[in-house]
């Protein structure tokens, strides 16, 4: 029974992190919208932001039904790390040592919160 519980918990964390990854895509869309010269381009990219956030809101509510609130919210800062990676890969922004240190602190905090229940 414990193994099945572990699989369920692992599956929930994967869904949670996929949801947070998906949510971070709204940052790409919003940055692209800001760079548009005409209203049509802006509206399409901003529509992408709204669509992503609508799907994210629905999935997030379903996750909150199954995971403790503290665990779910402790994992939200991962979106900042995804944003940093998207900025580097798509917009060729530089990742600094301070940014990497911040990401390390985020992951350490997530680890502490998640493992404190055990």
């Amino acid at each position: 029974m414990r193994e099945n519980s572990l699989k369920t918990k692992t599956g929930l964390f994967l869904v949670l992190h996929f949801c947070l990854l998906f949510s971070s895509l709204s940052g790409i869309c919003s940055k692209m919208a800001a760079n548009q010269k005409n209203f049509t381009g802006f509206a399409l990219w901003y529509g992408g932001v709204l669509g992503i956030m609508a799907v994210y809101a629905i999935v997030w509510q379903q996750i909150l039904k199954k995971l403790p609130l503290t665990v779910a919210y402790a994992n939200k800062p991962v979106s900042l790390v995804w944003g940093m990676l998207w900025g580097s890969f798509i917009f060729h922004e530089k990742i600094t040592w301070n940014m990497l240190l911040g990401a390390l602190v985020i992951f350490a905090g997530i680890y502490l919160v998640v493992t404190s229940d055990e």
Side-chain angles (χ1 to χ4, degrees):
M1 184 73 176
R2 174 132 168 99
E3 185 179 318
N4 195 18
S5 174
L6 184 61
K7 285 182 181 178
T8 302
K9 191 173 183 179
T10 302
L12 283 172
F13 277 110
L14 288 174
V15 170
L16 171 64
H17 281 269
F18 180 76
C19 180
L20 294 170
L21 167 68
F22 183 71
S23 166
S24 72
L25 297 176
S26 69
I28 295 170
C29 290
S30 65
K31 194 164 188 170
M32 295 300 287
N35 291 330
Q36 296 302 304
K37 303 290 184 216
N38 60 42
F39 181 75
T40 305
F42 171 81
L44 288 172
W45 283 108
Y46 194 70
V49 172
L50 296 177
I52 288 169
M53 295 314 292
V55 171
Y56 166 74
I58 292 167
V59 175
W60 178 252
Q61 292 304 313
Q62 298 308 308
I63 290 169
L64 290 181
K65 289 180 181 179
K66 297 179 186 323
L67 277 178
L69 190 61
T70 55
V71 172
Y73 271 97
N75 283 270
K76 275 189 81 118
V78 169
S79 297
L80 299 173
V81 175
W82 283 116
M84 184 174 65
L85 292 173
W86 294 138
S88 176
F89 293 136
I90 297 172
F91 301 108
H92 307 289
E93 296 172 351
K94 185 177 179 185
I95 296 177
T96 65
W97 285 107
N98 287 341
M99 294 168 87
L100 292 174
L101 179 62
L104 181 66
V105 169
I106 287 170
F107 283 117
I110 290 170
Y111 176 78
L112 291 173
V113 169
V114 171
T115 58
S116 69
D117 287 344
E118 296 173 3

